[in-house]
Short mmCIF file of all heavy atoms in Angstrom, two decimals:
data_model
loop_
_atom_site.label_atom_id
_atom_site.label_comp_id
_atom_site.label_asym_id
_atom_site.label_seq_id
_atom_site.Cartn_x
_atom_site.Cartn_y
_atom_site.Cartn_z
N ALA A 898 -2.35 -31.03 -2.26
CA ALA A 898 -1.64 -32.30 -2.46
C ALA A 898 -1.81 -33.18 -1.23
O ALA A 898 -1.85 -32.69 -0.10
CB ALA A 898 -0.15 -32.04 -2.69
N SER A 899 -1.88 -34.47 -1.47
CA SER A 899 -1.81 -35.41 -0.36
C SER A 899 -0.48 -35.18 0.35
O SER A 899 0.56 -35.03 -0.29
CB SER A 899 -1.88 -36.85 -0.87
OG SER A 899 -1.52 -37.75 0.16
N ALA A 900 -0.52 -35.13 1.67
CA ALA A 900 0.71 -34.91 2.44
C ALA A 900 1.74 -36.01 2.16
O ALA A 900 2.95 -35.77 2.27
CB ALA A 900 0.39 -34.84 3.93
N ALA A 901 1.29 -37.18 1.76
CA ALA A 901 2.20 -38.28 1.46
C ALA A 901 2.78 -38.20 0.05
O ALA A 901 3.72 -38.92 -0.28
CB ALA A 901 1.48 -39.62 1.65
N ASN A 902 2.25 -37.32 -0.79
CA ASN A 902 2.73 -37.18 -2.16
C ASN A 902 3.88 -36.18 -2.18
O ASN A 902 3.72 -35.01 -2.52
CB ASN A 902 1.58 -36.74 -3.08
CG ASN A 902 1.97 -36.77 -4.54
OD1 ASN A 902 3.13 -36.87 -4.89
ND2 ASN A 902 0.97 -36.67 -5.40
N THR A 903 5.04 -36.66 -1.83
CA THR A 903 6.21 -35.78 -1.67
C THR A 903 6.61 -35.09 -2.97
O THR A 903 7.12 -33.97 -2.93
CB THR A 903 7.41 -36.56 -1.10
OG1 THR A 903 7.71 -37.66 -1.98
CG2 THR A 903 7.11 -37.08 0.30
N ARG A 904 6.37 -35.72 -4.10
CA ARG A 904 6.72 -35.09 -5.39
C ARG A 904 5.83 -33.89 -5.66
O ARG A 904 6.31 -32.86 -6.15
CB ARG A 904 6.64 -36.10 -6.51
CG ARG A 904 7.68 -37.21 -6.32
CD ARG A 904 7.74 -38.06 -7.52
NE ARG A 904 8.72 -37.42 -8.39
CZ ARG A 904 9.39 -38.06 -9.31
NH1 ARG A 904 9.21 -39.33 -9.49
NH2 ARG A 904 10.26 -37.42 -10.06
N SER A 905 4.56 -33.99 -5.35
CA SER A 905 3.65 -32.87 -5.56
C SER A 905 3.96 -31.73 -4.59
O SER A 905 3.96 -30.55 -4.97
CB SER A 905 2.20 -33.33 -5.39
OG SER A 905 1.31 -32.30 -5.73
N VAL A 906 4.24 -32.07 -3.36
CA VAL A 906 4.62 -31.06 -2.37
C VAL A 906 5.90 -30.35 -2.81
O VAL A 906 6.04 -29.13 -2.67
CB VAL A 906 4.76 -31.69 -0.97
CG1 VAL A 906 5.41 -30.73 0.02
CG2 VAL A 906 3.40 -32.14 -0.45
N ALA A 907 6.84 -31.10 -3.40
CA ALA A 907 8.09 -30.51 -3.86
C ALA A 907 7.83 -29.49 -4.98
O ALA A 907 8.52 -28.47 -5.07
CB ALA A 907 9.05 -31.59 -4.34
N VAL A 908 6.85 -29.75 -5.84
CA VAL A 908 6.52 -28.79 -6.89
C VAL A 908 6.02 -27.49 -6.26
O VAL A 908 6.44 -26.40 -6.65
CB VAL A 908 5.47 -29.35 -7.87
CG1 VAL A 908 4.99 -28.27 -8.83
CG2 VAL A 908 6.04 -30.53 -8.65
N ALA A 909 5.13 -27.59 -5.28
CA ALA A 909 4.63 -26.38 -4.61
C ALA A 909 5.78 -25.58 -4.03
O ALA A 909 5.81 -24.34 -4.14
CB ALA A 909 3.62 -26.76 -3.52
N LYS A 910 6.75 -26.26 -3.44
CA LYS A 910 7.92 -25.57 -2.89
C LYS A 910 8.72 -24.89 -3.99
O LYS A 910 9.14 -23.74 -3.84
CB LYS A 910 8.80 -26.54 -2.11
CG LYS A 910 8.19 -27.03 -0.81
CD LYS A 910 9.08 -28.06 -0.14
CE LYS A 910 8.45 -28.59 1.13
NZ LYS A 910 9.28 -29.65 1.76
N ARG A 911 8.95 -25.61 -5.10
CA ARG A 911 9.73 -25.03 -6.21
C ARG A 911 9.02 -23.82 -6.81
O ARG A 911 9.66 -22.92 -7.35
CB ARG A 911 9.98 -26.08 -7.30
CG ARG A 911 11.11 -27.02 -6.95
CD ARG A 911 11.56 -27.84 -8.15
NE ARG A 911 10.53 -28.68 -8.72
CZ ARG A 911 10.22 -29.90 -8.28
NH1 ARG A 911 10.85 -30.43 -7.25
NH2 ARG A 911 9.27 -30.60 -8.87
N LEU A 912 7.70 -23.80 -6.72
CA LEU A 912 6.92 -22.67 -7.24
C LEU A 912 6.95 -21.47 -6.28
O LEU A 912 6.40 -20.42 -6.59
CB LEU A 912 5.48 -23.09 -7.50
CG LEU A 912 5.29 -24.06 -8.67
CD1 LEU A 912 3.87 -24.60 -8.68
CD2 LEU A 912 5.64 -23.41 -9.99
N GLY A 913 7.58 -21.64 -5.13
CA GLY A 913 7.66 -20.56 -4.16
C GLY A 913 6.38 -20.34 -3.38
O GLY A 913 6.15 -19.26 -2.84
N MET A 914 5.57 -21.38 -3.31
CA MET A 914 4.31 -21.28 -2.57
C MET A 914 4.55 -21.40 -1.08
O MET A 914 5.57 -21.93 -0.64
CB MET A 914 3.33 -22.35 -3.06
CG MET A 914 2.87 -22.15 -4.47
SD MET A 914 1.67 -23.41 -4.96
CE MET A 914 0.76 -22.51 -6.21
N THR A 915 3.58 -20.93 -0.32
CA THR A 915 3.61 -21.02 1.13
C THR A 915 2.65 -22.12 1.57
O THR A 915 1.53 -22.20 1.07
CB THR A 915 3.16 -19.68 1.76
OG1 THR A 915 4.09 -18.67 1.35
CG2 THR A 915 3.11 -19.76 3.28
N ARG A 916 3.09 -22.93 2.49
CA ARG A 916 2.23 -23.99 3.03
C ARG A 916 1.27 -23.33 4.02
O ARG A 916 1.65 -22.84 5.07
CB ARG A 916 3.07 -25.05 3.74
CG ARG A 916 2.26 -26.22 4.27
CD ARG A 916 3.24 -27.24 4.84
NE ARG A 916 2.56 -28.38 5.38
CZ ARG A 916 2.68 -28.78 6.64
NH1 ARG A 916 3.47 -28.13 7.48
NH2 ARG A 916 2.04 -29.83 7.05
N ASP A 917 -0.01 -23.31 3.64
CA ASP A 917 -1.03 -22.68 4.48
C ASP A 917 -1.46 -23.58 5.62
O ASP A 917 -1.86 -23.10 6.67
CB ASP A 917 -2.27 -22.34 3.64
CG ASP A 917 -2.00 -21.26 2.62
OD1 ASP A 917 -1.13 -20.39 2.86
OD2 ASP A 917 -2.66 -21.26 1.56
#
Side-chain angles (χ1 to χ4, degrees):
S899 167
N902 188 346
T903 57
R904 296 189 88 156
S905 187
V906 169
V908 171
K910 290 176 182 177
R911 281 193 299 275
L912 291 170
M914 293 182 153
T915 298
R916 183 175 179 238
D917 293 330

